[in-house]
Amino acid sequence: MNDQATAQQIGELYDGMTSIAELFNDGQEHLAYWYGPEDDTSAVAAGERLTRKVVESLGLRRGEHLLDAGCGVGAPAVMVARETGARVTGITVSRVEAGVAERRAHELGLVGQVRFQYGDYTSMPFADGTFDAVMAIESLTHAADLPRVLRELRRVLRPGGRLALSECTRAVGPNGEPIAQMPEQFQSSQLLSTSGWVDALESVGFNVEEYTQCGPRVYGLGLRYLDRANEIHDELTEAFGSEVVAGLKQGYRDMFGGDPKAMGYAIVAARKPYTDGPAR
């Protein structure tokens, strides 16, 4: 998605991807974490593993209130609620995703503990200091104005509240130059390096406490998604047609078939200061 895409355009994109996400990876609409080529964990379970890694960096406690910024169809949010006892509110610019996520929470008996709503994380209808923690899994690269979004996430956190994000990153050397040629779909994007994410968070007043660069275990094993598409080829074809499935597979080849060193993947954890001044 390019820098000029509007929230409406992004929402419409995800409206059309919802059914595929539900079938393909049970609603874990992000990349997965494998320990290495010998790890035979399923794509769905490896996606859940990545969600847990993001959540572990937050140290969530029972009864705390988490914002899932860019919640997709709600699979990560309901998993977090069930496993930690936290309350979760998810927000997405896709009306279709919000509806699917609400149904998911209802079917799992989590109404009251988990809620979802349609909205833009650039300007959210939540009071200052509403949340104890925020997670943003592969949703912030869609921000046309990243500093504005980060300030808004900071605003809705209580003093001392935590934020964890995960994103594909631009792999760079000591001189800041790319290590290898990135896939074409990323070359014109606002993809940041890990240090770029640290700088972006600190520039709006977060204190970065931890970051993990796990590109070889996430992006580097991304062709496992092509394996997953082949595994459920017949189901995908019956649901979406052969042309869509062929395009999906080619997309995975284009995204993950190049030099695995060209891209990284980072999980970054930060905190809003306990003694909080105005956002920068």
Side-chain angles (χ1 to χ4, degrees), residues 170-232:
R170 189 181 296 270
V172 298
N175 60 357
E177 292 298 314
I179 291 174
Q181 182 77 13
M182 292 192 302
E184 184 177 351
Q185 59 264 55
F186 288 110
Q187 290 177 16
S188 62
S189 74
Q190 59 178 6
L191 200 71
L192 300 179
S193 64
T194 302
S195 61
W197 280 109
V198 172
D199 291 345
L201 288 163
E202 291 180 341
S203 73
V204 300
F206 280 103
N207 295 328
V208 174
E209 297 183 332
E210 178 184 25
Y211 55 89
T212 301
Q213 177 55 260
C214 46
R217 293 184 170 187
V218 181
Y219 179 82
L221 293 172
L223 282 175
R224 294 285 185 89
Y225 281 96
L226 182 57
D227 296 339
R228 173 62 173 165
N230 288 328
E231 174 191 341
I232 59 171

Side-chain angles (χ1 to χ4, degrees), residues 151-189:
R151 285 192 292 268
E152 180 70 351
L153 296 179
R154 183 179 182 274
R155 179 187 70 79
V156 301
L157 275 172
R158 63 166 174 81
R162 295 93 69 200
L163 176 146
L165 65 88
S166 69
E167 292 286 353
C168 284
T169 58
R170 189 181 296 270
V172 298
N175 60 357
E177 292 298 314
I179 291 174
Q181 182 77 13
M182 292 192 302
E184 184 177 351
Q185 59 264 55
F186 288 110
Q187 290 177 16
S188 62
S189 74

Side-chain angles (χ1 to χ4, degrees), residues 1-12 93 120 142 144:
M1 185 63 63
N2 62 44
D3 295 354
Q4 286 73 45
T6 66
Q8 180 180 347
Q9 289 170 326
I10 295 167
E12 289 171 353
V93 290
D120 185 353
H142 291 306

Side-chain angles (χ1 to χ4, degrees), residues 68 148 198:
D68 185 357
R148 178 180 175 183
V198 172

Side-chain angles (χ1 to χ4, degrees), residues 24-55:
F24 192 85
N25 54 9
D26 197 26
Q28 297 283 339
E29 292 180 279
H30 52 70
L31 297 183
Y33 188 106
W34 284 278
Y35 291 117
E38 72 287 348
D39 183 355
D40 60 0
T41 302
S42 71
V44 172
E48 293 172 343
R49 181 186 285 158
L50 190 140
T51 296
R52 290 189 183 98
K53 285 194 147 310
V54 174
V55 173

Side-chain angles (χ1 to χ4, degrees), residues 11 14-16 18-19 73 92-101 103 118:
Y14 279 96
D15 285 349
T18 297
S19 296
V73 293
T92 172
V93 290
S94 166
R95 293 186 186 276
V96 175
E97 284 186 338
V100 171
R103 288 195 295 274
Y118 169 77

